[in-house]
Amino acid sequence: MPDESKGVKMKQRFFAALVTIVVLASLVAACGAPAPQPTEEPAGPAGEVEIFSWWTAGGEAEGLEAMYKVFSPRYPDLEIINATVAGGAGMEAKAVLATRMQAGDPPDSFQVHAGHELIDSWVVADKMEPVTFVFEENDWLGVYPPGVIEILSSGGDIWSVPVNIHRSNVLWYNKQVFEDNGLTAPASLDEFFDAADTLMAAGVTPLAVGDSGVWVDLHVFESLLLAELGPDAYRGLWDGSTDWNGSGVTAALEDLASVMEYVNTDHSALSWDQAAQLVVDGDAAMTIMGDWAEGYFKSVGLTPDVEFGYEPSPGTAGSFIMLSDSFGLPKGAPNRDGAIAWLTVCGSKEGQDAFNPIKGSIPARTDGDRALYDVYLQSAMDDFASNEIVPSLAHGAAASEGWVTAIGDAMTLFVADLDVAAAQAAMAQACVDSGVCQ
Ligand code: GAL
């Protein structure tokens, strides 16, 4: 072989070896070095997420806003659409929601009371997705009281995420008005009526009521039922073991008729928060309302135990009428991932500790930071831990929506005519119609 051709072959081998080395080296580099980074984070939930509620009054609106402030930095690509329909206890909002749900146009998530309001309506109608997986993924099963999980559950699944526990049976009073009239907070119904007579004689409206929505009458009525029946028989109203035709219900209706003699004349034109304002202004001495009234009082600058006082509504000490606001995941939510992000904040410690001190409620979780809660809310925490817990009629915990509506219809007539026998018969019939009573 001529030298020249040897040289060519050697050059060829040299180049072949060089190519091999370069290829091998680049393969090694490709395996060992970090893969090229995408310029953006993997996409999280994004877009608009519509949150539907009835929180528009003082305290309610600010509490909701506080929860949005926890949400937004966590999910910067999600934009909250705050869909509120004004009206205490959601009477108007629930009607709008029903229309939307039936039209297949659900919001991404909506406020719903834990208990029968949730289970007997949207869950049985197969309009909800279970949210058990949200509880499991966030390790929440151990941080909610078993009783709360129970009222959110049906058929082995959990159906909404609770944000709070509210107390219904609270009497709020203007401390200055009480002091001026030499009064202390009435513990019993007899003491209440004595105080009311004193206030009437002094020209002060004893009890502020804003029952432009009949739910407010039901709200006062549930406290009177509890006062007359006690916690066991009160519970029995909701499972058919207490007779709606019995003397306890008669007495509670008679009490309500008497109470209505001591209320502001314009009660049927006012909302619950306008009634609370009468107490703020000293135009009325007391109001019986859930502890969202505490959120209202604080929203207008008042401080518990300074300008306003609070007691269990007369005759109900030792019992806690509970209700819980929660949010659910409707089937067909336009932004399901966004809705799950919202539920994750609703159920979180941070979300609940931002919301509840402003809303006038206590966390549904057991690990809330007590130091963030004022003196009233700390007392509510203690009572929730030690009292007899009974469900609210007016706020969806005790009875199905249809049953509550039927009791409300009887109540609408009752506040107009104060006919105890007719109201009691209608309520007894409502229990039968609901399928609970024989
Ligand atoms: C209740 C609800 C509370 C409060 C109140 C007045 O039904 O649970 O959170 O909003 O209505 O609107």
Side-chain angles (χ1 to χ4, degrees), residues 54-57 60 87-91 94 111-113 117 164 166 215 219 272-273 289-293 323-326 355 359 361 392 394-396:
W54 60 83
W55 287 330
T56 57
E60 300 178 338
M91 286 186 70
K94 285 187 224 169
Q111 177 190 356
V112 62
H113 286 125
E117 182 177 310
N164 67 2
H166 265 307
W215 70 270
H219 188 104
W272 70 268
D273 46 319
M289 188 41 63
D291 43 15
W292 45 93
L323 59 123
S324 171
D325 294 305
S326 71
F355 173 71
K359 180 67 163 67
S361 39
S392 167
H395 306 279

Side-chain angles (χ1 to χ4, degrees), residues 50-65:
E50 186 188 10
I51 308 302
F52 185 95
S53 80
W54 60 83
W55 287 330
T56 57
E60 300 178 338
E62 291 90 337
L64 184 58
E65 192 57 39

Side-chain angles (χ1 to χ4, degrees), residues 108-161:
D108 292 304
S109 184
F110 62 84
Q111 177 190 356
V112 62
H113 286 125
H116 289 268
E117 182 177 310
L118 165 73
I119 305 293
D120 292 354
S121 52
W122 302 122
V123 175
V124 295
D126 197 23
K127 299 273 189 198
M128 305 301 288
E129 267 195 58
V131 294
T132 318
F133 73 96
V134 183
F135 278 74
E136 286 167 354
E137 282 171 10
N138 290 287
D139 268 337
W140 287 342
L141 288 166
V143 293
Y144 285 90
V148 171
I149 299 272
E150 195 185 316
I151 63 166
L152 299 164
S153 300
S154 146
D157 261 314
I158 303 175
W159 295 93
S160 67
V161 175

Side-chain angles (χ1 to χ4, degrees), residues 27-40:
L27 275 176
V28 167
C31 294
Q37 292 298 297
T39 46
E40 284 175 14

Side-chain angles (χ1 to χ4, degrees), residues 31-262:
C31 294
Q37 292 298 297
T39 46
E40 284 175 14
E41 291 288 301
E48 294 182 340
V49 56
E50 186 188 10
I51 308 302
F52 185 95
S53 80
W54 60 83
W55 287 330
T56 57
E60 300 178 338
E62 291 90 337
L64 184 58
E65 192 57 39
M67 208 151 43
Y68 291 162
K69 285 202 178 122
V70 174
F71 180 89
S72 295
R74 277 202 203 181
Y75 301 101
D77 295 333
L78 282 171
E79 189 197 341
I80 297 243
I81 305 297
N82 184 34
T84 51
V85 177
M91 286 186 70
E92 286 78 8
K94 285 187 224 169
V96 173
L97 178 70
T99 307
R100 288 188 55 175
M101 294 287 274
Q102 274 141 26
D105 172 33
D108 292 304
S109 184
F110 62 84
Q111 177 190 356
V112 62
H113 286 125
H116 289 268
E117 182 177 310
L118 165 73
I119 305 293
D120 292 354
S121 52
W122 302 122
V123 175
V124 295
D126 197 23
K127 299 273 189 198
M128 305 301 288
E129 267 195 58
V131 294
T132 318
F133 73 96
V134 183
F135 278 74
E136 286 167 354
E137 282 171 10
N138 290 287
D139 268 337
W140 287 342
L141 288 166
V143 293
Y144 285 90
V148 171
I149 299 272
E150 195 185 316
I151 63 166
L152 299 164
S153 300
S154 146
D157 261 314
I158 303 175
W159 295 93
S160 67
V161 175
V163 286
N164 67 2
I165 303 290
H166 265 307
R167 185 177 196 173
S168 152
N169 58 317
V170 191
L171 176 97
W172 308 94
Y173 60 96
N174 180 312
K175 290 195 76 158
Q176 188 65 51
V177 172
F178 264 47
E179 196 183 312
D180 291 348
N181 289 280
L183 296 171
T184 53
S188 65
L189 281 168
D190 285 344
E191 287 176 21
F192 170 82
F193 286 118
D194 286 347
D197 284 332
T198 303
L199 290 158
M200 281 286 253
V204 179
T205 299
L207 189 74
V209 167
D211 59 353
S212 58
V214 71
W215 70 270
V216 169
D217 302 307
L218 294 183
H219 188 104
V220 175
F221 183 52
E222 69 186 16
S223 269
L224 297 171
L225 284 170
L226 177 62
E228 293 293 353
L229 291 165
D232 286 339
Y234 173 91
R235 277 191 205 104
L237 291 170
W238 314 115
D239 66 11
S241 59
T242 295
D243 184 4
W244 277 88
N245 286 305
S247 58
V249 176
T250 315
L253 284 165
E254 287 169 353
D255 292 338
L256 184 56
S258 303
V259 164
M260 294 309 282
E261 291 171 26
Y262 294 94

